[in-house]
Amino acid sequence: DMTHADIVIESSWKYLGLEAMQDMWKDRQLPGKVIGITPSAISDNILLSTDLDVLDSSMLHCKGAEIASWLHENNMQEVPYVIIDDEYVILESQLPHFILTNPYDGLIEELAMRAIGILNRQ
């Protein structure tokens, strides 16, 4: 609510599809609007714009690459964004946008405030 950010889902739940994610979000009365889900593999366009000689092949199927692919495909590379996850599965370039949660505690207030700061560029 404090950032008016839209939400893109990068989760194992995304296999259910965008509409199911939107319904789940609404049913749980969570704030914000789910506008997309990341692809399950990186797009051809991002592959064509990446130096494959420096890309570790293990990164081709990681969450970070899928997030980068969604940002690229939706022309959102320059907008503020936050990745919130309980696993360190991002690209090095995404580190300033990353909030690592504890899988047992989830998104605690301190981490939520950091995410808000990133989104509001503070």
Side-chain angles (χ1 to χ4, degrees):
D1 285 342
M2 294 175 69
T3 65
H4 305 289
D6 290 324
I7 299 151
V8 177
I9 304 290
E10 169 44 75
S11 166
S12 56
W13 288 89
K14 71 183 179 182
Y15 78 92
L16 296 170
L18 177 57
E19 189 175 325
M21 294 292 90
Q22 291 168 328
D23 289 345
M24 187 182 303
W25 206 262
K26 185 178 176 183
D27 290 346
R28 293 184 171 139
Q29 300 177 352
L30 297 170
K33 177 182 173 188
V34 176
I35 62 163
I37 56 176
T38 61
S40 293
I42 62 174
S43 71
D44 292 340
N45 286 337
I46 201 162
L47 281 175
L48 291 171
S49 66
T50 301
D51 182 355
L52 297 179
D53 291 331
V54 298
L55 182 67
D56 182 346
S57 62
S58 67
M59 298 307 285
L60 293 175
H61 298 287
C62 83
K63 287 182 180 182
E66 292 172 353
I67 292 165
S69 186
W70 188 93
L71 290 168
H72 184 78
E73 289 300 308
N74 291 277
N75 235 1
M76 298 279 195
Q77 300 95 314
E78 301 302 319
V79 300
Y81 67 93
V82 174
I83 301 167
I84 301 169
D85 207 312
D86 63 357
E87 297 178 301
Y88 188 87
V89 289
I90 61 166
L91 303 176
E92 191 68 30
S93 62
Q94 296 166 331
L95 191 57
H97 305 272
F98 183 59
I99 305 287
L100 181 64
T101 64
N102 178 312
Y104 300 104
D105 299 328
L107 186 61
I108 60 174
E109 184 175 357
E110 174 189 342
L111 298 178
M113 295 309 292
R114 280 186 44 217
I116 290 166
I118 292 169
L119 291 171
N120 288 335
R121 294 186 184 209
Q122 297 175 343

